[in-house]
Amino acid sequence: MNPSEWMPDLAHPWTRFALAVVVALVVAGLLRRVVLAFLRRFALRHPRGASMIARANAPMEAIVPLTMLLLAFRAAPDEPARLIGALEHMVGLSLIVACTWFAVRCIGALDAMVSRFNPIDLEDNLRARRVQTQVRVLSRTAMVVIVVLGMGVALMTFPSVRQFGASLLASAGLAGLAVGLAAKPVLGNLIAGIQIALTQPIRIDDVVIVENEWGRVEEITSTYVVVSIWDERRMIVPLQYFIENPFQNWTRTNSRILGSAMLWFDYGLPLDPLRAELTRLCKAAPEWDGRVCVLQVVDTNDKAMQLRALVSSSNSGKSWDLRCKVREGLIDYVRREFPDFLPRVRGEMVSDVRMADADTPALGRRMTSTRR
């Protein structure tokens, strides 16, 4: 048999196209192996980049062969043009999706790497909270921008969408105004996210009071903030709220805080023994940071005096526990050592009551007799 009878005709366009596809896939496999070996060596030398390489590996495995296939379509025959154009368009869309996926995964890996090397479960975590807040908010915003750009590039590959865009530009003034009004909440939250990342009125794990609710900033996304309330509820607050409304941030510069315990006692209670007891309670409490331990009379009325025990702690959680311990300890001390000076309503017994007149009713005489 003549070899030319069974060997493919290399001059045929479809044969050249098939060979181009095979060569592209083989080259893509070789490039994948080379890149993977290089990235493994890089990860061994730079452990911090290992997570980013692991996350970017999956989209990279799609980007390389899709790129080579797109190059192979240059050798495709001119006929049938519709079929070849549809296949090339599909490969191009897949490449755009893979590149968008790759960029999002890289940003997510960077966010995770920064969070891992800047933990916030430490006593002095101000710098870690600042870094995590900046990276998290900016990464979420960047992800949204990349996804929107990827969708825009993918849509622009369709001729009908390009024609629609051209006709839309003819009435750009009215259309831009309508789109701007419709997208105002989304764009406002994106801009607010950038402002929060740069100025940082709040950070991850900050203790805040929002809408009269005490809680911690648990998560900051590109559009809203999750505040973990003390009773395990979650408050979802738009980012714009923290730019446009006042709120309390108890850990803006540091986590140290003063706490007070308010108590009412009788005027006759000696204060020096009570101050000594407060000092003993603070020194015995692990929540006290050793800065402030003061007992003062802050208010009075016609029945008792109000005392304020002012104590300090390293964070708001410990401050709450310390205030409860101080309040309980001082009440127990006064009840045990000075029980007569607990606040109570007192009355004097009348030993002799003169009748205003002789016509006092019998019931009144019985009540007067009972009080004697």
Side-chain angles (χ1 to χ4, degrees):
M1 181 181 292
N2 190 358
S4 61
E5 295 180 359
W6 56 269
M7 289 184 62
D9 186 7
L10 296 179
H12 197 278
W14 285 104
T15 304
R16 292 199 305 268
F17 176 61
L19 289 175
V21 170
V22 172
V23 171
L25 293 177
V26 171
V27 173
L30 293 176
L31 284 177
R32 176 182 172 277
R33 289 177 178 272
V34 172
V35 171
L36 187 60
F38 172 77
L39 292 178
R40 285 177 178 174
R41 294 185 61 183
F42 178 82
L44 292 175
R45 295 180 180 179
H46 303 83
R48 294 191 175 186
S51 61
M52 182 177 295
I53 294 173
R55 290 199 177 197
N57 186 40
M60 277 294 295
E61 291 184 354
I63 289 175
V64 175
L66 288 173
T67 304
M68 300 306 299
L69 281 177
L70 201 60
L71 294 176
F73 273 97
R74 303 302 179 187
D78 296 333
E79 295 294 338
R82 180 173 297 180
L83 176 61
I84 296 300
L87 291 175
E88 188 175 3
H89 187 208
M90 187 179 301
V91 174
L93 285 176
S94 301
L95 182 59
I96 292 172
V97 172
C99 291
T100 304
W101 182 25
F102 173 76
V104 171
R105 292 294 292 268
C106 287
I107 294 175
L110 178 63
D111 184 8
M113 182 179 65
V114 171
S115 300
R116 186 184 309 112
F117 289 98
N118 294 273
I120 59 176
D121 55 349
L122 303 176
E123 187 68 25
D124 187 10
N125 59 0
L126 180 60
R127 179 183 176 277
R129 291 189 292 110
R130 182 186 299 117
V131 172
Q132 279 204 25
T133 301
Q134 287 180 334
V135 174
R136 189 161 299 180
V137 175
L138 291 177
S139 64
R140 298 293 190 275
T141 305
M143 286 181 184
V144 172
V145 172
I146 288 173
V147 171
V148 171
L149 289 177
M151 293 176 60
V153 173
L155 290 175
M156 290 302 293
T157 60
F158 293 92
S160 59
V161 175
R162 287 200 299 267
Q163 294 175 2
F164 176 74
S167 62
L168 190 62
L169 289 176
S171 57
L174 184 59
L177 180 61
V179 172
L181 291 175
K184 182 180 177 182
V186 178
L187 296 177
N189 281 321
L190 286 176
I191 296 174
I194 297 175
Q195 288 180 282
I196 288 176
L198 296 178
T199 60
Q200 293 195 342
I202 56 171
R203 304 184 185 93
I204 300 295
D205 205 45
D206 264 349
V207 177
V208 295
I209 295 182
V210 181
E211 299 292 326
N212 297 321
E213 294 282 1
W214 184 97
R216 291 181 178 273
V217 177
E218 185 177 58
E219 184 182 1
I220 301 178
T221 68
S222 58
T223 55
Y224 60 87
V225 177
V226 179
V227 179
S228 176
I229 310 300
W230 64 272
D231 56 0
E232 298 186 356
R233 290 178 294 149
R234 298 296 187 273
M235 179 183 290
I236 310 300
V237 186
L239 282 175
Q240 281 186 285
Y241 179 92
F242 295 96
I243 301 298
E244 300 174 352
N245 298 283
F247 63 96
Q248 294 185 39
N249 189 337
W250 289 12
T251 54
R252 178 68 179 86
T253 56
N254 56 66
S255 59
R256 297 184 304 177
I257 192 171
L258 298 179
S260 60
M262 312 300 290
L263 300 166
W264 288 94
F265 290 121
D266 189 81
Y267 283 106
L269 177 68
L271 297 181
D272 290 339
L274 201 61
R275 289 192 174 99
E277 178 64 13
L278 174 62
T279 302
R280 188 192 68 81
L281 291 172
C282 288
K283 290 182 178 179
E287 295 83 3
W288 187 53
D289 63 359
R291 292 187 299 121
V292 178
C293 179
V294 178
L295 181 69
Q296 297 172 317
V297 178
V298 294
D299 196 8
T300 58
N301 57 24
D302 58 341
K303 298 181 179 65
M305 60 180 176
Q306 186 181 38
L307 305 181
R308 183 185 68 177
L310 190 64
V311 292
S312 60
S313 298
S314 58
N315 57 60
S316 58
K318 292 183 178 180
S319 177
W320 174 265
D321 295 336
L322 181 59
R323 289 163 59 193
C324 293
K325 286 185 178 181
V326 166
R327 191 180 297 111
E328 294 170 4
L330 292 180
I331 292 176
D332 182 68
Y333 176 77
V334 174
R335 183 181 59 81
R336 186 178 65 251
E337 301 295 335
F338 304 98
D340 294 336
F341 298 112
L342 291 171
R344 64 186 65 184
V345 178
R346 291 181 172 84
E348 294 183 358
M349 301 298 293
V350 179
S351 59
D352 186 19
V353 178
R354 296 183 179 179
M355 297 301 177
D357 52 55
D359 298 330
T360 303
L363 178 60
R365 288 197 295 272
R366 284 197 299 269
M367 292 179 61
T368 303
S369 177
T370 302
R371 291 184 61 190
R372 288 179 179 175

